[in-house]
Amino acid sequence: MLTIGLTGGIASGKSTVSRRLAELGATVVDADAIARAVQEPGQPGLEGIIAEFGPSVLTPEGRLDRQALGAIVFADPEARARLNAVIHPLVRREAVRLAAAAGEDAVVVEDIPLLVETGQHGRFDLVLTVQAPAEERVRRMVEDRGMTEADARARIAAQATDEQRAAVSDVVLVNDGTVADLLRQVDRFWAERVAPRR
Ligand SMILES: CC(C)(COP(=O)(O)OP(=O)(O)OC[C@H]1O[C@@H](n2cnc3c(N)ncnc32)[C@H](O)[C@@H]1O)[C@@H](O)C(=O)NCCC(=O)NCCS
Ligand SMILES: Nc1ncnc2c1ncn2[C@@H]1O[C@H](COP(=O)(O)OP(=O)(O)OP(=O)(O)O)[C@@H](O)[C@H]1O
C-alpha cells in the first residue's frame, strides 16, 4: 500500500486533485465527508457537539445547523478548539479504518483539509499540498458558495498557511492557472512519484 496525505487551504483545489487521483486508480478517503457522517443524528460527533454547545446549534428537525455552528467557531478560536477536540479524533479513527480496508495493493489518498493543523503528516508515505492564490480562493467562496468576504477570510485565518503546509510536503501543486494545468500537474505527480512504486 502507498498512502498519500492530500491537503491545502479551503477552496484551493483539493477535490479537483482527488477526483483525478481517483481516475488514475487511487482509493480516496475524504475527511470532510467523514466529519459530516459523524455529525448525523445519533452519531457520536453530533452527540459531542450537543454536549459542548447545547441545542442552539440544532435545526428544528434535530440536525446540525452548520451555519449556526460555523458562525460560532470561525469567530472564536476557543470554541473552534472545543469543536475540533470532539470531531477530529472521530474523523482520524474512521479515516485510518477506511484506508486500512483498501487492501495491500491500493494507493490510498486521504483528502484532509487540516492535515498540518492536526499533526498527521508523519503517517503518510507522501504528503501532497495544493496551493492557490488567497484572493482567488476568497472569490470562489464568495461567488460560488455564497459566503460573505468576511466569512471567507475568517476560514482562511482559521487554517495553517501555505508555508506551513509546504514545510511538511513532499510535493506542492500550484493551482494558479486553468483546471487543465492543475490536472497536468497531478498526472505528472502520479507518473513520477506513484507509478514507479506500484
Ligand atoms: C463548523 C462546520 C459545522 C461548518 O460547516 P460548513 O458546512 O460551513 O463547512 P464544511 O464542513 O463544508 O467545511 C468546509 C471547509 O471549511 C474548513 N474547515 C472546517 N472546519 C474547520 C476547522 N475546525 N478549522 C479550520 N477550517 C475548517 C475546511 O477547509 C473545510 O474543507 C463544519 O465545518 C465542522 O463541523 N467543522 C469541524 C470539523 C472539521 O474540522 N472539518 C474539516 C476537516 S475534517
Ligand atoms: N484552476 C482553476 N481554475 C478555475 N476554477 C478552479 C480551479 N481550480 C479549482 N477550481 C474550482 O474552484 C472550486 C474549488 O475547488 P475544489 O472543490 O477542488 O477545492 P477544495 O480545496 O476541495 O475546496 P474545499 O476546501 O472547500 O473542499 C471548484 O468549484 C473548482 O471547480
Side-chain angles (χ1 to χ4, degrees):
M1 182 183 289
L2 182 73
T3 59
I4 301 170
L6 167 65
T7 193
I10 185 166
S12 57
K14 292 180 301 299
S15 306
T16 306
V17 169
S18 70
R19 269 195 301 275
R20 181 60 146 214
L21 290 167
E23 286 169 9
L24 290 166
T27 299
V28 175
V29 173
D30 179 339
D32 275 341
I34 297 171
R36 280 191 290 273
V38 302
Q39 293 168 341
E40 287 291 316
Q43 296 300 309
L46 189 58
E47 300 298 320
I49 287 170
I50 297 167
E52 275 294 333
F53 296 93
S56 69
V57 296
L58 296 179
T59 66
E61 296 76 37
R63 305 187 67 84
L64 180 61
D65 183 336
R66 309 185 69 83
Q67 207 166 355
L69 184 57
I72 296 169
V73 302
F74 293 111
D76 177 357
E78 185 272 331
R80 190 163 64 244
R82 287 195 286 128
L83 173 64
N84 290 347
V86 170
I87 300 300
H88 290 168
L90 297 169
V91 172
R92 184 174 179 146
R93 194 175 318 145
E94 180 64 3
V96 168
R97 192 187 70 76
L98 289 173
E104 262 180 34
D105 295 334
V107 175
V108 178
V109 173
E110 293 189 34
D111 176 343
I112 310 185
L114 305 180
L115 184 147
V116 172
E117 294 86 336
T118 53
Q120 297 186 68
H121 49 275
R123 70 180 181 87
F124 298 100
D125 298 314
L126 288 172
V127 174
L128 177 62
T129 287
V130 50
Q131 286 186 355
E135 293 314 309
E136 187 61 27
R137 292 158 56 205
V138 170
R139 192 190 61 72
R140 285 180 197 143
M141 283 185 265
V142 170
E143 289 179 11
D144 305 344
R145 300 180 199 177
M147 289 170 80
T148 67
E149 187 176 333
D151 286 347
R153 291 191 190 282
R155 293 262 178 147
I156 289 177
Q159 301 188 343
T161 63
D162 279 345
E163 291 70 27
Q164 289 168 319
R165 284 183 286 261
V168 300
S169 297
D170 297 285
V171 175
V172 175
L173 307 182
V174 179
N175 183 20
D176 63 357
T178 64
V179 170
D181 291 334
L182 178 62
L183 298 181
R184 266 193 294 276
Q185 294 179 62
V186 179
D187 291 351
R188 194 179 323 130
F189 165 77
W190 188 273
E192 292 177 359
R193 304 299 294 262
V194 180
R197 299 172 72 158
R198 297 202 81 189

